[in-house]
CSV table of all heavy atoms in Angstrom, one decimal:
chain,number,residue,atom,x,y,z
Z,24,ALA,N,6.8,11.7,0.4
Z,24,ALA,CA,6.3,12.2,1.8
Z,24,ALA,C,7.5,12.1,2.9
Z,24,ALA,O,7.6,13.1,3.7
Z,24,ALA,CB,5.1,11.4,2.3
Z,25,ALA,N,8.2,11.0,2.9
Z,25,ALA,CA,9.5,11.0,4.0
Z,25,ALA,C,10.3,12.0,3.6
Z,25,ALA,O,10.8,12.7,4.6
Z,25,ALA,CB,10.1,9.6,3.8
Z,26,ASN,N,10.7,12.2,2.3
Z,26,ASN,CA,11.7,13.4,2.0
Z,26,ASN,C,11.1,14.7,2.4
Z,26,ASN,O,11.9,15.6,2.9
Z,26,ASN,CB,11.9,13.3,0.5
Z,26,ASN,CG,12.7,12.0,0.0
Z,26,ASN,OD1,13.1,11.2,0.9
Z,26,ASN,ND2,12.7,11.8,-1.3
Z,27,ALA,N,9.8,15.0,2.2
Z,27,ALA,CA,9.2,16.2,2.5
Z,27,ALA,C,9.3,16.5,4.1
Z,27,ALA,O,9.5,17.6,4.4
Z,27,ALA,CB,7.8,16.2,2.0
Z,28,HIS,N,9.3,15.5,4.8
Z,28,HIS,CA,9.3,15.6,6.3
Z,28,HIS,C,10.8,15.4,6.9
Z,28,HIS,O,11.1,15.3,7.9
Z,28,HIS,CB,8.4,14.6,6.9
Z,28,HIS,CG,7.0,14.9,6.6
Z,28,HIS,ND1,6.3,16.0,7.1
Z,28,HIS,CD2,6.1,14.2,5.9
Z,28,HIS,CE1,5.0,16.0,6.7
Z,28,HIS,NE2,4.8,14.9,5.9
Z,29,ASN,N,11.7,15.3,5.8
Z,29,ASN,CA,13.2,15.1,6.2
Z,29,ASN,C,13.3,13.9,7.2
Z,29,ASN,O,14.2,13.8,8.1
Z,29,ASN,CB,13.8,16.3,6.9
Z,29,ASN,CG,13.9,17.5,6.0
Z,29,ASN,OD1,14.3,17.3,4.9
Z,29,ASN,ND2,13.5,18.6,6.5
Z,30,LEU,N,12.6,12.7,6.7
Z,30,LEU,CA,12.8,11.5,7.5
Z,30,LEU,C,13.8,10.6,6.9
Z,30,LEU,O,13.8,10.4,5.7
Z,30,LEU,CB,11.3,10.8,7.6
Z,30,LEU,CG,10.2,11.6,8.3
Z,30,LEU,CD1,9.0,10.9,8.1
Z,30,LEU,CD2,10.5,11.6,9.7
Z,31,PRO,N,14.7,10.0,7.8
Z,31,PRO,CA,15.7,9.1,7.2
Z,31,PRO,C,15.1,7.8,6.9
Z,31,PRO,O,15.3,6.8,7.6
Z,31,PRO,CB,16.7,9.0,8.3
Z,31,PRO,CG,15.9,9.2,9.6
Z,31,PRO,CD,14.7,10.1,9.2
Z,32,ILE,N,14.3,7.7,5.8
Z,32,ILE,CA,13.6,6.4,5.5
Z,32,ILE,C,13.8,6.2,3.9
Z,32,ILE,O,13.8,7.1,3.1
Z,32,ILE,CB,12.0,6.6,5.7
Z,32,ILE,CG1,11.7,6.7,7.2
Z,32,ILE,CG2,11.3,5.5,5.2
Z,32,ILE,CD1,10.4,7.1,7.6
Z,33,LYS,N,13.9,4.9,3.7
Z,33,LYS,CA,14.0,4.4,2.4
Z,33,LYS,C,12.9,3.5,2.1
Z,33,LYS,O,12.6,2.6,2.8
Z,33,LYS,CB,15.2,3.5,2.1
Z,33,LYS,CG,15.4,2.9,0.7
Z,33,LYS,CD,16.6,2.0,0.7
Z,33,LYS,CE,16.5,1.2,-0.7
Z,33,LYS,NZ,17.4,0.0,-0.7
Z,34,VAL,N,12.0,3.8,1.1
Z,34,VAL,CA,10.9,3.1,0.7
Z,34,VAL,C,11.2,2.5,-0.7
Z,34,VAL,O,11.6,3.2,-1.6
Z,34,VAL,CB,9.7,4.0,0.6
Z,34,VAL,CG1,8.3,3.2,0.4
Z,34,VAL,CG2,9.5,4.8,1.8
Z,35,ALA,N,10.8,1.2,-0.9
Z,35,ALA,CA,11.0,0.4,-2.1
Z,35,ALA,C,9.9,-0.6,-2.3
Z,35,ALA,O,9.3,-1.0,-1.3
Z,35,ALA,CB,12.5,-0.2,-2.1
Z,36,ALA,N,9.8,-0.9,-3.6
Z,36,ALA,CA,8.7,-2.0,-3.9
Z,36,ALA,C,9.3,-3.0,-4.6
Z,36,ALA,O,10.2,-2.9,-5.4
Z,36,ALA,CB,7.5,-1.4,-4.7
Z,37,TYR,N,8.9,-4.3,-4.3
Z,37,TYR,CA,9.5,-5.5,-4.9
Z,37,TYR,C,8.3,-6.5,-5.1
Z,37,TYR,O,7.3,-6.4,-4.4
Z,37,TYR,CB,10.5,-6.2,-4.0
Z,37,TYR,CG,11.6,-5.2,-3.6
Z,37,TYR,CD1,11.7,-4.5,-2.4
Z,37,TYR,CD2,12.8,-5.1,-4.5
Z,37,TYR,CE1,12.8,-3.8,-2.1
Z,37,TYR,CE2,13.8,-4.3,-4.3
Z,37,TYR,CZ,13.8,-3.6,-2.9
Z,37,TYR,OH,14.8,-3.0,-2.7
Z,38,PRO,N,8.5,-7.4,-6.1
Z,38,PRO,CA,7.5,-8.5,-6.2
Z,38,PRO,C,7.7,-9.4,-5.1
Z,38,PRO,O,8.7,-9.6,-4.5
Z,38,PRO,CB,8.0,-9.3,-7.5
Z,38,PRO,CG,9.2,-8.6,-8.1
Z,38,PRO,CD,9.6,-7.5,-7.2
Z,39,HIS,N,6.5,-10.0,-4.6
Z,39,HIS,CA,6.6,-10.8,-3.5
Z,39,HIS,C,7.5,-12.1,-3.5
Z,39,HIS,O,8.0,-12.4,-2.6
Z,39,HIS,CB,5.1,-11.4,-3.1
Z,39,HIS,CG,4.9,-12.0,-1.8
Z,39,HIS,ND1,5.2,-13.3,-1.6
Z,39,HIS,CD2,4.5,-11.4,-0.6
Z,39,HIS,CE1,5.0,-13.5,-0.2
Z,39,HIS,NE2,4.7,-12.4,0.4
Z,40,ASN,N,7.7,-12.6,-4.7
Z,40,ASN,CA,8.5,-13.6,-4.8
Z,40,ASN,C,10.0,-13.4,-4.5
Z,40,ASN,O,10.9,-14.3,-4.5
Z,40,ASN,CB,8.4,-14.4,-6.1
Z,40,ASN,CG,8.8,-13.6,-7.4
Z,40,ASN,OD1,9.3,-12.4,-7.2
Z,40,ASN,ND2,8.5,-14.0,-8.6
Z,41,LYS,N,10.4,-12.1,-4.3
Z,41,LYS,CA,11.7,-11.6,-4.1
Z,41,LYS,C,11.8,-11.5,-2.5
Z,41,LYS,O,13.0,-11.1,-2.0
Z,41,LYS,CB,12.1,-10.4,-4.7
Z,41,LYS,CG,12.1,-10.5,-6.3
Z,41,LYS,CD,13.5,-10.7,-6.7
Z,41,LYS,CE,13.7,-10.5,-8.2
Z,41,LYS,NZ,13.7,-11.8,-9.0
Z,42,LEU,N,10.8,-11.7,-1.7
Z,42,LEU,CA,10.8,-11.3,-0.3
Z,42,LEU,C,12.0,-12.1,0.4
Z,42,LEU,O,12.8,-11.4,1.0
Z,42,LEU,CB,9.5,-11.6,0.3
Z,42,LEU,CG,9.3,-11.4,1.7
Z,42,LEU,CD1,9.6,-9.9,2.0
Z,42,LEU,CD2,8.0,-11.7,2.3
Z,43,GLY,N,12.2,-13.3,0.2
Z,43,GLY,CA,13.2,-14.1,0.9
Z,43,GLY,C,14.7,-13.5,0.6
Z,43,GLY,O,15.5,-13.3,1.5
Z,44,GLU,N,14.8,-13.3,-0.7
Z,44,GLU,CA,16.1,-12.8,-1.1
Z,44,GLU,C,16.4,-11.4,-0.6
Z,44,GLU,O,17.5,-11.1,0.0
Z,44,GLU,CB,16.0,-12.6,-2.7
Z,44,GLU,CG,17.1,-12.5,-3.5
Z,44,GLU,CD,16.8,-12.4,-5.0
Z,44,GLU,OE1,16.0,-13.2,-5.5
Z,44,GLU,OE2,17.1,-11.3,-5.7
Z,45,ILE,N,15.4,-10.6,-0.6
Z,45,ILE,CA,15.6,-9.2,-0.2
Z,45,ILE,C,15.8,-9.3,1.4
Z,45,ILE,O,16.7,-8.5,2.0
Z,45,ILE,CB,14.4,-8.3,-0.5
Z,45,ILE,CG1,14.0,-8.2,-1.9
Z,45,ILE,CG2,14.5,-6.8,0.2
Z,45,ILE,CD1,14.8,-7.4,-2.8
Z,46,PHE,N,15.0,-10.1,2.0
Z,46,PHE,CA,15.1,-10.1,3.6
Z,46,PHE,C,16.5,-10.5,4.0
Z,46,PHE,O,17.1,-9.9,4.9
Z,46,PHE,CB,14.1,-11.2,4.0
Z,46,PHE,CG,13.8,-10.9,5.6
Z,46,PHE,CD1,12.8,-10.1,6.0
Z,46,PHE,CD2,14.8,-11.6,6.5
Z,46,PHE,CE1,12.6,-10.0,7.4
Z,46,PHE,CE2,14.4,-11.4,7.8
Z,46,PHE,CZ,13.4,-10.6,8.2
Z,47,GLU,N,17.2,-11.5,3.3
Z,47,GLU,CA,18.4,-11.9,3.6
Z,47,GLU,C,19.5,-10.8,3.3
Z,47,GLU,O,20.5,-10.6,4.1
Z,47,GLU,CB,18.7,-13.2,2.8
Z,47,GLU,CG,18.0,-14.4,3.1
Z,47,GLU,CD,18.0,-14.7,4.6
Z,47,GLU,OE1,19.2,-14.7,5.3
Z,47,GLU,OE2,17.0,-15.0,5.2
Z,48,SER,N,19.5,-10.1,2.1
Z,48,SER,CA,20.5,-9.3,1.7
Z,48,SER,C,20.3,-7.8,2.2
Z,48,SER,O,21.3,-7.2,2.4
Z,48,SER,CB,20.5,-9.2,0.1
Z,48,SER,OG,19.3,-8.6,-0.3
Z,49,ASP,N,19.2,-7.4,2.6
Z,49,ASP,CA,18.9,-5.9,2.8
Z,49,ASP,C,17.7,-5.9,3.8
Z,49,ASP,O,16.6,-5.3,3.5
Z,49,ASP,CB,18.6,-5.3,1.6
Z,49,ASP,CG,18.6,-3.6,1.7
Z,49,ASP,OD1,19.2,-3.3,2.8
Z,49,ASP,OD2,18.0,-3.0,1.0
Z,50,ARG,N,17.8,-6.5,5.0
Z,50,ARG,CA,16.8,-6.6,6.0
Z,50,ARG,C,15.9,-5.4,6.2
Z,50,ARG,O,16.5,-4.4,6.6
Z,50,ARG,CB,17.5,-7.0,7.3
Z,50,ARG,CG,16.5,-7.5,8.2
Z,50,ARG,CD,17.1,-7.7,9.7
Z,50,ARG,NE,16.3,-7.7,10.8
Z,50,ARG,CZ,15.8,-8.9,11.3
Z,50,ARG,NH1,16.2,-10.1,10.9
Z,50,ARG,NH2,14.8,-8.9,12.2
Z,51,PRO,N,14.6,-5.4,5.9
Z,51,PRO,CA,13.8,-4.3,6.1
Z,51,PRO,C,13.4,-4.0,7.5
Z,51,PRO,O,13.6,-4.9,8.3
Z,51,PRO,CB,12.6,-4.5,5.2
Z,51,PRO,CG,12.5,-6.1,5.2
Z,51,PRO,CD,13.9,-6.5,5.3
Z,52,ASP,N,13.0,-2.7,7.9
Z,52,ASP,CA,12.5,-2.5,9.2
Z,52,ASP,C,11.1,-2.7,9.3
Z,52,ASP,O,10.4,-2.7,10.4
Z,52,ASP,CB,12.9,-1.1,9.6
Z,52,ASP,CG,14.4,-0.9,9.7
Z,52,ASP,OD1,15.0,-1.4,10.6
Z,52,ASP,OD2,14.9,-0.3,8.8
Z,53,CYS,N,10.4,-2.8,8.1
Z,53,CYS,CA,8.9,-2.9,8.0
Z,53,CYS,C,8.6,-3.6,6.6
Z,53,CYS,O,9.2,-3.2,5.6
Z,53,CYS,CB,8.2,-1.6,8.1
Z,53,CYS,SG,6.3,-1.7,8.2
Z,54,ILE,N,7.8,-4.6,6.7
Z,54,ILE,CA,7.2,-5.2,5.4
Z,54,ILE,C,5.8,-4.9,5.3
Z,54,ILE,O,4.9,-5.2,6.2
Z,54,ILE,CB,7.5,-6.8,5.5
Z,54,ILE,CG1,9.0,-7.1,5.5
Z,54,ILE,CG2,6.8,-7.5,4.3
Z,54,ILE,CD1,9.2,-8.6,5.7
Z,55,LEU,N,5.5,-4.4,4.1
Z,55,LEU,CA,4.0,-4.0,3.8
Z,55,LEU,C,3.7,-4.8,2.6
Z,55,LEU,O,4.4,-4.8,1.6
Z,55,LEU,CB,3.9,-2.5,3.5
Z,55,LEU,CG,4.0,-1.6,4.8
Z,55,LEU,CD1,3.8,-0.1,4.2
Z,55,LEU,CD2,3.1,-1.9,5.8
Z,56,LEU,N,2.5,-5.5,2.7
Z,56,LEU,CA,2.0,-6.3,1.6
Z,56,LEU,C,0.8,-5.6,0.8
Z,56,LEU,O,0.1,-4.9,1.5
Z,56,LEU,CB,1.5,-7.6,2.1
Z,56,LEU,CG,2.4,-8.5,2.7
Z,56,LEU,CD1,1.8,-9.8,3.3
Z,56,LEU,CD2,3.7,-9.0,2.0
Z,57,GLY,N,1.0,-5.6,-0.4
Z,57,GLY,CA,-0.2,-4.9,-1.2
Z,57,GLY,C,-1.4,-5.7,-1.0
Z,57,GLY,O,-1.5,-6.8,-0.7
Z,58,PRO,N,-2.5,-5.0,-1.1
Z,58,PRO,CA,-3.9,-5.8,-1.0
Z,58,PRO,C,-4.0,-6.9,-1.9
Z,58,PRO,O,-4.7,-7.9,-1.5
Z,58,PRO,CB,-4.9,-4.6,-1.4
Z,58,PRO,CG,-4.1,-3.3,-1.2
Z,58,PRO,CD,-2.8,-3.6,-1.4
Z,59,GLN,N,-3.4,-6.9,-3.0
Z,59,GLN,CA,-3.5,-8.0,-4.0
Z,59,GLN,C,-3.0,-9.3,-3.4
Z,59,GLN,O,-3.3,-10.3,-3.9
Z,59,GLN,CB,-2.9,-7.7,-5.3
Z,59,GLN,CG,-3.0,-6.4,-5.8
Z,59,GLN,CD,-1.8,-5.4,-5.3
Z,59,GLN,OE1,-1.5,-5.5,-4.1
Z,59,GLN,NE2,-1.3,-4.6,-6.2
Z,60,VAL,N,-2.0,-9.3,-2.5
Z,60,VAL,CA,-1.4,-10.4,-1.9
Z,60,VAL,C,-1.6,-10.7,-0.4
Z,60,VAL,O,-0.9,-11.2,0.3
Z,60,VAL,CB,0.2,-10.4,-2.1
Z,60,VAL,CG1,0.5,-10.5,-3.7
Z,60,VAL,CG2,0.9,-9.3,-1.5
Z,61,LYS,N,-2.8,-10.1,-0.1
Z,61,LYS,CA,-3.2,-10.1,1.3
Z,61,LYS,C,-3.3,-11.6,1.7
Z,61,LYS,O,-3.2,-12.0,2.8
Z,61,LYS,CB,-4.5,-9.4,1.4
Z,61,LYS,CG,-5.6,-9.7,2.4
Z,61,LYS,CD,-6.6,-8.7,2.6
Z,61,LYS,CE,-7.8,-9.1,1.9
Z,61,LYS,NZ,-8.9,-8.1,2.0
Z,62,TYR,N,-3.7,-12.4,0.8
Z,62,TYR,CA,-3.9,-13.9,1.1
Z,62,TYR,C,-2.5,-14.4,1.4
Z,62,TYR,O,-2.4,-15.6,2.0
Z,62,TYR,CB,-4.4,-14.6,-0.2
Z,62,TYR,CG,-3.5,-14.7,-1.4
Z,62,TYR,CD1,-2.6,-15.6,-1.6
Z,62,TYR,CD2,-3.5,-13.5,-2.2
Z,62,TYR,CE1,-1.8,-15.6,-2.6
Z,62,TYR,CE2,-2.7,-13.6,-3.4
Z,62,TYR,CZ,-1.9,-14.6,-3.5
Z,62,TYR,OH,-0.9,-14.6,-4.6
Z,63,MET,N,-1.4,-13.8,1.2
Z,63,MET,CA,-0.1,-14.3,1.6
Z,63,MET,C,0.5,-14.0,3.0
Z,63,MET,O,1.4,-14.1,3.4
Z,63,MET,CB,1.0,-14.0,0.5
Z,63,MET,CG,0.6,-14.5,-0.8
Z,63,MET,SD,1.9,-14.1,-2.1
Z,63,MET,CE,2.9,-15.4,-2.0
Z,64,TYR,N,-0.4,-13.1,3.7
Z,64,TYR,CA,0.0,-12.5,4.9
Z,64,TYR,C,0.4,-13.6,6.0
Z,64,TYR,O,1.3,-13.5,6.6
Z,64,TYR,CB,-1.2,-11.7,5.5
Z,64,TYR,CG,-0.9,-11.0,6.9
Z,64,TYR,CD1,-0.1,-10.0,7.0
Z,64,TYR,CD2,-1.5,-11.7,7.9
Z,64,TYR,CE1,0.1,-9.5,8.3
Z,64,TYR,CE2,-1.3,-11.2,9.2
Z,64,TYR,CZ,-0.4,-10.1,9.4
Z,64,TYR,OH,-0.2,-9.7,10.6
Z,65,ASP,N,-0.5,-14.5,6.2
Z,65,ASP,CA,-0.2,-15.6,7.2
Z,65,ASP,C,1.0,-16.3,6.9
Z,65,ASP,O,1.8,-16.6,7.8
Z,65,ASP,CB,-1.4,-16.6,7.3
Z,65,ASP,CG,-2.7,-16.0,7.8
Z,65,ASP,OD1,-2.5,-15.0,8.5
Z,65,ASP,OD2,-3.7,-16.5,7.6
Z,66,GLU,N,1.3,-16.6,5.6
Z,66,GLU,CA,2.5,-17.4,5.2
Z,66,GLU,C,3.7,-16.4,5.6
Z,66,GLU,O,4.8,-16.9,6.0
Z,66,GLU,CB,2.4,-17.7,3.7
Z,66,GLU,CG,3.6,-18.5,3.2
Z,66,GLU,CD,3.5,-18.6,1.6
Z,66,GLU,OE1,2.5,-18.9,1.1
Z,66,GLU,OE2,4.6,-18.4,1.1
Z,67,THR,N,3.6,-15.3,5.2
Z,67,THR,CA,4.7,-14.3,5.3
Z,67,THR,C,5.0,-14.0,6.9
Z,67,THR,O,6.2,-14.2,7.1
Z,67,THR,CB,4.3,-12.9,4.6
Z,67,THR,OG1,4.0,-13.1,3.4
Z,67,THR,CG2,5.6,-11.9,4.8
Z,68,VAL,N,3.9,-14.0,7.6
Z,68,VAL,CA,4.2,-14.0,9.1
Z,68,VAL,C,4.8,-15.2,9.6
Z,68,VAL,O,5.7,-15.1,10.4
Z,68,VAL,CB,2.9,-13.6,9.8
Z,68,VAL,CG1,3.1,-13.8,11.3
Z,68,VAL,CG2,2.3,-12.2,9.5
Z,69,LYS,N,4.4,-16.3,9.1
Z,69,LYS,CA,4.9,-17.7,9.5
Z,69,LYS,C,6.4,-17.7,9.2
Z,69,LYS,O,7.2,-18.0,10.0
Z,69,LYS,CB,4.2,-18.8,8.8
Z,69,LYS,CG,4.2,-20.0,9.6
Z,69,LYS,CD,3.6,-21.2,8.9
Z,69,LYS,CE,2.2,-21.0,8.6
Z,69,LYS,NZ,1.6,-22.1,7.8
Side-chain angles (χ1 to χ4, degrees):
N26 296 348
H28 296 290
N29 294 315
L30 299 171
I32 292 175
K33 174 188 174 194
V34 184
Y37 301 98
H39 193 276
N40 61 6
K41 294 264 190 259
L42 180 56
E44 196 181 305
I45 304 279
F46 198 92
E47 293 306 313
S48 65
D49 190 20
R50 187 187 168 100
D52 295 288
C53 183
I54 294 172
L55 295 178
L56 300 177
Q59 323 86 318
V60 293
K61 150 167 105 182
Y62 65 92
M63 300 180 92
Y64 175 79
D65 291 337
E66 183 190 318
T67 306
V68 168
K69 207 184 301 178

